[in-house]
Amino acid sequence: GSVVSAAIAADNVVVALYFALLFYLAKAGETGAKTSSSSKEDSKEETLNLPSLGDDIVVENGETPNQITTSSIAYSIASASCLVTIGELLTRAICPSLSSMVITSIVTVLAATIHPKWFRKLRSSGSAIGILFLQMFFAASGASGSLLLVLRRAPSLVAFSMMQIAIHFVFLIGIGRGIFRLDPNELYLASNANVGGPTTAAAMAQAKEWNRLTLPALLVGVFGYATATALSLSLGPLLTRIVA
């Protein structure tokens, strides 16, 4: 129990510091500004803007934004609960060792694709509720990252986590920027999705006003869960046998 808690705390501390570095390096609004100028010339459809708690929703083709009411909040929570329940049941039936977030995210994307009108009605209330829970998620993650606990019980875990992220960042910048000449903001967001997952990546895209990158960041993070979870679960016993 103490080893697990120390490992979680070490991961939270190192990842939090790395996210601070990514936020410092990334430039707000630069990627979104380029895209919005080109999209206005090619299409009449406006860019989807995920709001903060006090912002309005930017809608498509001049539609009026849906008001946040008690009914819309109830429908949003009910729809989310149904999708989570379906994802949990499918995960237990298909692959119990896999995180339910993977299949739940896939089910949600499929549902929004099949019934876009229904989910468009829930856009305003769903976005506001989602942002509220994201803030709670970050607060809970920060609360579990005790620096004193890490330094007392597992300083080697901090060094190992820092080494992993350092190698990841060097390869990311070296290949993505040095060889393929990709946009640095997109590389930082991809790194966030790989290290933190879909929730932190979507929050970073929204905070930096990269509106068109919010959904890709979510999908990349979900894809990472779907692939890396299975790989880590299979590599864990193998590495344990090698060390033993």
Side-chain angles (χ1 to χ4, degrees):
S2 60
V3 176
V4 174
S5 61
I8 294 175
D11 178 73
N12 288 334
V13 169
V14 174
V15 168
L17 294 175
Y18 181 64
F19 286 164
L21 174 64
L22 292 179
F23 271 83
Y24 173 77
L25 295 175
K27 296 181 180 179
E30 181 177 325
T31 301
K34 293 179 181 179
T35 305
S36 60
S37 60
S38 60
S39 62
K40 286 181 181 179
E41 296 176 359
D42 299 336
S43 174
K44 295 181 180 179
E45 184 175 337
E46 297 180 6
T47 305
L48 171 63
N49 227 342
L50 287 184
S52 61
L53 288 176
D55 293 341
D56 295 329
I57 304 291
V58 177
V59 296
E60 300 172 357
N61 298 328
E63 296 177 3
T64 57
N66 297 315
Q67 298 295 325
I68 300 178
T69 63
T70 305
S71 298
S72 65
I73 293 175
Y75 284 135
S76 297
I77 295 176
S79 299
S81 300
C82 291
L83 292 170
V84 170
T85 302
I86 294 173
E88 289 276 357
L89 294 176
L90 289 176
T91 302
R92 294 177 185 176
I94 297 174
C95 185
S97 60
L98 187 66
S99 172
S100 62
M101 184 178 294
V102 176
I103 296 181
T104 300
S105 300
I106 295 174
V107 170
T108 303
V109 172
L110 290 176
T113 304
I114 297 172
H115 299 286
K117 292 183 180 180
W118 170 256
F119 287 94
R120 191 178 296 117
K121 295 178 181 178
L122 306 179
R123 180 183 297 170
S124 299
S125 58
S127 298
I129 295 172
I131 292 167
L132 177 62
F133 279 102
L134 274 177
Q135 302 301 328
M136 295 174 63
F137 168 78
F138 286 126
S141 298
S144 61
S146 173
L147 186 59
L148 291 177
L149 176 65
V150 174
L151 295 178
R152 288 175 184 172
R153 298 185 179 180
S156 59
L157 293 177
V158 178
F160 180 69
S161 297
M162 292 179 66
M163 181 183 67
Q164 282 183 310
I165 292 181
I167 294 174
H168 160 80
F169 187 76
V170 169
F171 271 87
L172 178 82
I173 299 301
I175 297 177
R177 207 43 200 152
I179 298 178
F180 295 104
R181 302 295 181 182
L182 298 176
D183 184 271
N185 287 338
E186 295 181 356
L187 291 175
Y188 300 146
L189 185 61
S191 178
N192 191 315
N194 280 270
V195 174
T199 51
T200 58
M204 179 177 180
Q206 181 190 354
K208 293 297 181 178
E209 299 178 358
W210 304 334
N211 302 310
R212 74 178 181 94
L213 298 179
T214 302
L215 181 58
L218 285 168
L219 295 178
V220 169
V222 170
F223 178 75
Y225 278 155
T227 55
T229 301
L231 289 174
S232 60
L233 290 175
S234 60
L235 286 175
L238 177 62
L239 294 176
T240 302
R241 288 197 295 269
I242 292 175
V243 174

